[in-house]
Amino acid sequence: MMRSHLPTLLAAAMTLAVSPAVTHAANSAFIEAESFDIYGGWVLDTQFIEIIGSPYLMAHGLGTPVKDATTTVQKSVPAGKYRVWVRTKNWVGHWDAKGAPGKFQLSLNGKTLDKDFGTTGKDWQWDDGGTVDLAAGPLKVGLQDKTGFNGRVDAIYLTTDLDAKPPVEAKALASFRHKELGLPDTPPETKEYDLVVVGGGYAGTAAALSGARQGLKVALIQNRPVLGGNGSSEVQVWAQGGTRRGLYPHLGEIVEEFTDRASNSPGLPEEYGDELKEGVARKEKNLDLFLNNHVWKVEMDKSRVPKIRGAVALNTKTGEEKKFVGKFFVDCTGHGYLGALAKASFTMLEKGHMGMSNMWVVAKQDAAQSWPETPWPWS
């Protein structure tokens, strides 16, 4: 069988400079949507990796269909008749709501399949896209959003075994992903760091910089492509904090090095200084920055109680896993994920803390604006 692995695993044999995380057998191809070359108007959603086992692409257009996401599978696909499967979700299905806000279509080599995906079911599932005849050669794949209302795509599977269907159960699907992508069952380990900081918001970035400047070998792991968390261009909550006051007026000076100076919240994306934050981190010789890596597993040191030995991160673009080995770990995830994985003790306040928030920007237009019908519930 012929099978192409992830680009990093094939470096010794071939170069796939701009290809998705994909593998081929003589009769199949598995393509992770998050590994597409061009996202178009689709966005990478990493919020539910623990639930569905993978990041995915989402068409977030506020009612206006977004630009196509596209990719080219560089490894030649053998000619033949293939059954097409797409892992997706009708996100209003569990309400039994009318309509299909997440509807999208798939194109292969420029031809759009006669199938609307994301319109059935109540959970993540493999939608059967029917069969297609493919010529030998590179495969061009496109995702065509039809609604602008959060269509979701996890992966695409093509196989010449017309009776085969990818597994649905979580463990079986995880094993299937690893096999199809040519990934090892045991993730490779990094060098040992003095300090591993998980979460690249303001707290995590500041902690990593502080540790590096004190001579520690630091790994800073962030599951998004930018640093800053809520204070990044992706979320746009301005800093506006008092960093030099109280008993310790110099405590916030590191934050001042990379904080935004946004004029509004939300504001203009460029006002949030993503490049500044990343630049400050990369200048530190003792700090290794790992963007697009989501920590979702831990390995405990059984000889010491309790202590984390390694944090396993999933690369949200390639599907690769890597175990970050460290002497000490800092949980700056915002939700306490690392601590929860390590079963650390915790305290939760039931009162006196901020709840969920929604941010809106209102702009005055010269004429009335249309809005599509939305028959599904929003609660």
Side-chain angles (χ1 to χ4, degrees):
M1 288 186 176
M2 296 175 57
R3 177 173 284 134
S4 77
H5 298 194
L6 293 169
T8 54
L9 299 179
L10 282 177
M14 61 186 299
T15 300
L16 298 178
V18 285
S19 66
V22 59
T23 184
H24 296 289
N27 62 346
S28 68
F30 186 89
I31 307 164
E32 293 275 22
E34 61 269 20
S35 299
F36 268 42
D37 299 329
I38 300 172
Y39 284 179
W42 296 68
V43 296
L44 177 66
D45 196 337
T46 58
Q47 296 181 84
F48 306 106
I49 291 175
E50 287 82 3
I51 297 174
I52 74 165
S54 171
Y56 58 88
L57 290 188
M58 181 168 66
H60 186 45
L62 293 176
T64 300
V66 305
K67 293 182 179 179
D68 293 358
T70 60
T71 198
T72 299
V73 179
Q74 300 291 346
K75 181 71 174 181
S76 180
V77 176
K81 182 181 290 293
Y82 288 78
R83 183 168 294 280
V84 181
W85 294 97
V86 178
R87 191 169 189 246
T88 183
K89 179 181 182 179
N90 173 22
W91 62 268
V92 299
H94 66 281
W95 290 309
D96 293 322
K98 296 180 180 179
K103 182 168 63 176
F104 66 93
Q105 290 184 302
L106 176 72
S107 66
L108 299 173
N109 289 336
K111 182 179 179 180
T112 301
L113 274 62
D114 186 22
K115 163 76 176 181
D116 289 332
F117 294 95
T119 63
T120 63
K122 297 186 177 184
D123 204 342
W124 284 94
Q125 64 180 23
W126 288 100
D127 263 4
D128 186 353
T131 60
V132 294
D133 292 310
L134 297 178
L139 176 65
K140 295 182 179 180
V141 186
L143 299 175
Q144 302 172 354
D145 174 36
K146 308 305 291 185
T147 67
F149 279 121
N150 301 84
R152 291 160 164 85
V153 186
D154 172 30
I156 301 160
Y157 181 60
L158 310 174
T159 177
T160 53
D161 183 349
L162 304 185
D163 296 323
K165 180 180 180 180
V168 176
E169 191 273 329
K171 288 186 177 180
L173 179 55
S175 178
F176 180 79
R177 285 184 196 273
H178 274 220
K179 180 180 178 181
E180 289 295 319
L181 295 174
L183 297 173
D185 292 332
T186 302
E189 294 187 357
T190 66
K191 64 183 180 182
E192 185 178 56
Y193 288 94
D194 298 314
L195 183 69
V196 177
V197 180
V198 181
Y202 269 65
T205 302
L209 289 172
S210 178
R213 291 172 184 177
Q214 295 179 65
L216 301 179
K217 298 296 183 182
V218 179
L220 174 56
I221 308 171
Q222 166 71 329
N223 67 355
R224 301 300 303 169
V226 295
L227 294 172
N230 285 342
S232 71
S233 64
E234 293 187 322
V235 186
Q236 299 180 20
V237 177
W238 56 11
Q240 295 291 299
T243 56
R244 299 183 183 183
R245 64 183 182 181
L247 295 176
Y248 307 100
H250 300 293
L251 190 61
E253 289 180 351
I254 286 181
V255 174
E256 289 289 342
E257 296 180 33
F258 59 82
T259 189
D260 68 78
R261 296 290 187 267
S263 60
N264 202 353
S265 178
L268 299 175
E270 56 268 24
E271 292 184 295
Y272 284 83
D274 293 343
E275 292 183 358
L276 171 63
K277 294 178 177 66
E278 183 174 341
V280 170
R282 293 200 184 277
K283 286 180 181 178
E284 292 297 324
K285 64 179 182 179
N286 289 330
L287 192 159
D288 292 337
L289 177 61
F290 298 90
L291 298 174
N292 292 307
N293 277 270
H294 179 80
V295 171
W296 65 332
K297 302 172 187 176
V298 296
E299 179 184 293
M300 304 302 293
D301 187 344
K302 298 179 181 180
S303 64
R304 302 177 65 179
V305 182
K307 188 180 187 300
I308 300 174
R309 180 184 181 275
V312 178
L314 176 75
N315 187 301
T316 60
K317 301 274 286 185
T318 68
E320 294 175 278
E321 286 184 309
K322 183 181 299 182
K323 184 189 298 180
F324 290 85
V325 180
K327 296 176 182 177
F328 293 95
F329 291 78
V330 176
D331 187 340
C332 294
T333 59
H335 289 85
Y337 285 138
L338 182 67
L341 289 169
K343 295 181 171 54
S345 59
F346 65 93
T347 299
M348 181 182 294
L349 296 177
E350 296 183 1
K351 297 181 179 179
H353 58 92
M354 183 182 292
M356 299 296 292
S357 300
N358 288 317
M359 298 189 302
W360 298 88
V361 173
V362 179
K364 187 175 182 179
Q365 302 294 320
D366 295 332
Q369 303 296 301
S370 62
W371 184 256
E373 292 293 326
T374 55
W376 47 86
W378 289 93
S379 58

